[in-house]
Amino acid sequence: MRRTIETPEAMEAFGSRLAKKLQPGDLVLLSGKLGAGKTTMTRGIGAGLEAIGTIQSPTFVLARTHRTKDGPKLVHVDAYRLSSAIELDDLDIDFSNSIVIIEWSRDFIDDSFENWLLIEIDRSSQEDIRELQITGHGPRWQGVQFDFGN
């Protein structure tokens, strides 16, 4: 599924609506160049999940875990400095009981995961306009519709 997001506020709003579809065990991979809007979308997901604390890029700490008001924890990972899936595994993330968002995931997803949602963000056109390509992998994402607020 391919869609256009026209402002950072719209990206955050889409993330908030996406959060309503997420459940424990979900893995969301965000791909895109620096400044594409990966953290902005994660901030929206955090708002939709009522995450506690500021959602910001975990570049230097690699992963931040946020409790949510009533639901599963939100784990926000910045895999930019990781070089392999082994280093991702070393973070000891509770994938099955959390909602995990990974920025810069590259090829870190292997046979360990049956289901994941890949969101590719392209900011190559105009300043604020982003093109989203959303691809669900595995049975969890078959038939899931996304609300773009149109």
Side-chain angles (χ1 to χ4, degrees):
M1 169 181 310
R2 192 167 196 73
R3 292 296 173 116
T4 299
I5 300 286
E6 296 191 2
T7 65
E9 295 80 15
M11 179 73 82
E12 198 165 324
F14 170 70
S16 184
R17 288 188 301 275
L18 174 61
K20 305 304 181 207
K21 303 279 184 179
L22 299 176
Q23 58 192 28
D26 281 347
L27 174 60
V28 179
L29 308 179
L30 300 179
S31 172
K33 294 180 181 176
L34 187 66
K38 298 178 296 295
T39 301
T40 300
M41 182 178 295
T42 304
R43 198 169 19 261
I45 292 169
L49 294 173
E50 299 184 59
I52 298 167
T54 303
I55 305 291
Q56 59 188 8
S57 180
T59 301
F60 298 105
V61 296
L62 303 179
R64 292 186 196 281
T65 300
H66 298 271
R67 289 180 292 120
T68 61
K69 185 177 177 186
D70 295 318
K73 291 178 182 175
L74 171 65
V75 180
H76 182 198
V77 179
D78 185 328
Y80 183 78
R81 297 183 319 161
L82 299 181
S83 60
S84 70
I86 293 170
E87 289 182 344
L88 179 63
D89 187 54
D90 286 345
L91 295 176
D92 199 29
I93 296 168
D94 183 3
F95 284 96
S96 61
N97 295 306
S98 305
I99 294 170
V100 179
I101 312 295
I102 302 179
E103 298 184 25
W104 302 99
S105 59
R106 296 190 286 292
D107 299 322
F108 293 167
I109 304 307
D110 56 20
D111 294 335
S112 305
F113 300 95
E114 179 181 10
N115 300 288
W116 70 90
L117 185 66
L118 173 62
I119 303 176
E120 299 169 276
I121 307 169
D122 180 8
R123 184 186 171 191
S124 60
S125 61
Q126 300 175 24
E127 184 63 27
D128 283 340
I129 295 177
R130 273 66 165 173
E131 295 290 328
L132 301 184
Q133 176 67 43
I134 303 174
T135 309
H137 296 268
R140 158 71 177 99
W141 295 106
Q142 290 188 1
V144 175
Q145 299 295 313
F146 301 98
D147 177 4
F148 287 90
N150 301 350

